[in-house]
Amino acid sequence: LATMAGAEDMNKYRSPLVSRYTSEEMSYNFSDKKKFITWRKLWIFLAKAEKALGLPITDAQIAEMESHAEDIDFAMAAEEERKLRHDVMAHVHTFAHCCPTAAPIIHLGATSCYVGDNTDLIALRDGFNILLPKLARVIDRLANFLEEYADLPTLGFTHFQPAQLTTVGKRACLWLQDLVMDVRNLERARDNLRFRGVKGTTGTQASFLQLFQGDHDKVEELDKMVTEMAGFKKAYLVTGQTYSRKVDIDCMSTLADLGASVYKICTDIHLLANLKEIEEPFEKEQIGSSAMPYKRNPMRAERCCSLARHLITLIADPLQTASVQWLERTLDDSANRRTFLPESFLAADIILSTLQNITEGLVVYPKVIETRIHNDLPFMATENIIMVKTFLAEEIRPLLEPYKANMDVKVELVL
């Protein structure tokens, strides 16, 4: 890890979700760099819309802002925040320093939540767009697996006691059906997201009504224009200072739900590995145990379970946060959301990448499976073996069509 960290300060705690597990794209999605670049883009969107609607803003001011959109002096911003004790105003001052002509119109009429909440909504949307192709690839790999083993009989278990025959492919259908529900839930959560938009300090748009001399139509058009510039089809009609924190519950619950699915799948693989029937990929030089090198521990499945457990527990934060937002808002949501929003997506990201790696290399041991069937066959009455061809053709393959361009991506786990 020290070698991988390079010049990073090894004397400071770093979240393992970033330093050890998650992908670069998801890590960047919740990075300071993306956040503050997005703030600047939102200020540019606001200025453009205000200019178009008649406020005295010049093309030169907007051009100056655009030319410095990614030119962030983080040291200056940190120093400003130490003085001002306000992160948004620190970045307003930092942006104004490199855009002196545009300084008077940066953040014009807006409240902190204009950049804060809208940036969070962009990160949520982009986070779902990162996760969905990864989930689709897991479904594709698992569909290939169950198709290959659709006809291979295996002993089914209820209560983890021998029950009746099923097939290896049919058992995988149970896993797959849960993931199909998850992809639809993630798509719904993403597609239902709206923009906070331009709502002012308590959601009344009073500051913008003052800027536009009471012209309600222009204020509504301003909200619509900025929403469209940010890539959203709709904005929330009603907000306080923030968008409703129930939106966070909606998003995080779908991720916790995904965590439950992955936990179940990887627990099943863990159990089957102990029975020596199915095994996750095991590298040529991989060591199963420092004391017992002959062991073949299902470390990938265990990692998924470990991180999925963390993901599942995070849903408590948005539930409690939404319940205690007094009146138009209270700031005790801020520090809490800085943690659970990114960590939920970071955890979901790595469990999907790891599960893809598992499903691309699952190993089946038919002779072991056959032996167990013969050992228990006298004690059970068999049912017809359930086949999976229709399930694949009607449910799974059509679901993957929107993600076909991303389907060939492989996952290599370093740790």
Side-chain angles (χ1 to χ4, degrees):
L1 278 175
T3 301
M4 293 175 62
E8 291 186 32
D9 187 356
M10 300 301 291
N11 294 319
K12 295 180 180 179
Y13 172 78
R14 294 173 298 137
S15 169
L17 287 172
V18 175
S19 65
R20 190 175 181 92
Y21 297 125
T22 199
S23 67
E24 289 187 12
E25 58 183 343
M26 188 61 83
S27 183
Y28 177 75
N29 187 51
F30 290 97
S31 68
D32 282 348
K33 184 175 182 180
K34 183 186 175 183
K35 178 170 82 170
F36 297 130
I37 288 175
T38 304
W39 284 12
R40 292 190 174 189
K41 288 181 178 178
L42 288 167
W43 285 322
I44 293 168
F45 296 158
L46 182 61
K48 284 183 173 181
E50 288 174 336
K51 176 183 180 298
L53 292 169
L55 292 189
I57 296 171
T58 67
D59 290 335
Q61 288 174 312
I62 292 173
E64 184 181 55
M65 293 169 71
E66 289 179 326
S67 67
H68 292 285
E70 300 186 16
D71 178 20
I72 301 175
D73 187 336
F74 288 99
M76 178 183 290
E79 179 59 30
E80 288 288 334
E81 187 170 354
R82 273 191 291 271
K83 291 188 298 184
L84 302 172
R85 309 300 296 172
H86 197 290
D87 57 348
V88 173
M89 289 311 300
H91 278 268
V92 169
H93 288 194
T94 303
F95 197 17
H97 179 77
C98 57
C99 300
T101 304
I105 56 96
I106 294 173
H107 197 68
L108 184 60
T111 186
S112 297
C113 286
Y114 168 69
V115 288
D117 270 27
N118 284 325
T119 294
D120 286 342
L121 290 163
I122 289 169
L124 293 175
R125 178 196 64 194
D126 294 350
F128 282 125
N129 284 335
I130 293 170
L131 292 178
L132 279 162
K134 296 187 177 189
L135 179 53
R137 289 197 295 270
V138 172
I139 290 172
D140 174 73
R141 301 329 188 243
L142 201 51
N144 294 338
F145 172 81
L146 71 86
E147 193 167 32
E148 181 177 357
Y149 292 101
D151 303 330
L152 180 62
T154 190
L155 182 61
F157 289 85
T158 59
H159 317 279
F160 202 40
Q161 298 296 316
Q164 294 184 349
L165 289 180
T166 182
T167 75
V168 172
K170 165 59 172 58
R171 177 178 283 147
C173 280
L174 299 175
W175 305 339
L176 197 56
Q177 183 167 251
D178 287 350
L179 295 177
V180 167
M181 294 170 68
D182 290 319
V183 75
R184 290 171 180 166
N185 288 342
L186 262 65
E187 287 177 339
R188 176 195 56 77
R190 178 199 61 189
D191 295 344
N192 283 350
L193 280 174
R194 296 189 181 196
F195 207 48
R196 179 193 175 273
V198 183
K199 297 296 196 297
T201 54
T202 58
T204 65
Q205 299 179 311
S207 58
F208 296 103
L209 280 167
Q210 185 175 3
L211 282 173
F212 289 100
Q213 299 179 331
D215 191 327
H216 288 263
D217 290 339
K218 283 190 175 182
V219 173
E220 289 186 14
E221 185 63 21
L222 178 73
D223 200 2
K224 181 181 178 182
M225 290 175 68
V226 173
T227 296
E228 290 176 352
M229 288 180 193
F232 286 80
K233 295 179 180 178
K234 293 182 179 180
Y236 294 108
L237 293 177
V238 178
T239 74
Q241 189 170 88
T242 70
Y243 66 80
S244 170
R245 295 311 184 213
K246 286 181 70 67
V247 175
D248 294 341
I249 296 174
D250 193 27
C251 293
M252 300 305 106
S253 64
T254 64
L255 299 182
D257 199 358
L258 171 64
S261 299
V262 175
Y263 201 113
K264 188 267 192 288
I265 293 167
C266 290
T267 298
D268 285 357
I269 293 171
H270 198 171
L271 293 171
L272 293 169
N274 178 260
L275 298 177
K276 304 295 190 291
E277 292 188 6
I278 291 179
E279 190 174 71
E280 69 177 35
F282 200 88
E283 305 297 335
K284 183 178 180 181
E285 297 183 9
Q286 183 174 331
I287 296 174
S289 166
S290 60
M292 298 165 284
Y294 55 84
K295 291 181 72 180
R296 297 174 72 86
N297 299 336
M299 51 84 71
R300 291 169 173 84
E302 290 176 318
R303 178 188 298 172
C304 282
C305 289
S306 184
L307 292 170
R309 187 182 308 132
H310 177 59
L311 176 56
I312 292 167
T313 62
L314 287 173
I315 187 59
D317 275 338
L319 284 167
Q320 295 188 54
T321 296
S323 70
V324 297
Q325 286 302 285
W326 301 348
L327 306 175
E328 278 64 51
R329 78 89 52 103
T330 179
L331 196 60
D332 65 355
D333 65 335
S334 179
N336 189 266
R337 294 175 72 252
R338 288 176 192 265
T339 302
F340 76 71
L341 285 179
E343 286 205 356
S344 294
F345 280 87
L346 294 170
D349 182 72
I350 186 56
I351 64 175
L352 287 177
S353 294
T354 307
L355 187 56
Q356 180 184 336
N357 181 266
I358 292 171
T359 54
E360 286 177 346
L362 281 173
V363 180
V364 178
Y365 295 102
K367 291 297 183 182
V368 175
I369 292 172
E370 183 181 359
T371 299
R372 182 159 285 107
I373 289 174
H374 283 299
N375 290 340
D376 286 275
L377 198 58
F379 304 102
M380 61 184 175
T382 62
E383 289 182 341
N384 292 331
I385 295 173
I386 302 173
M387 308 309 291
V388 299
K389 304 293 186 183
T390 302
F391 180 61
L392 280 169
E394 295 184 3
E395 295 285 341
I396 304 305
R397 298 303 182 194
L399 185 75
L400 299 178
E401 282 295 321
Y403 306 101
K404 291 188 86 171
N406 294 283
M407 208 53 69
D408 294 332
V409 177
K410 296 290 185 181
V411 170
E412 293 185 11
L413 299 183
V414 177
L415 296 169

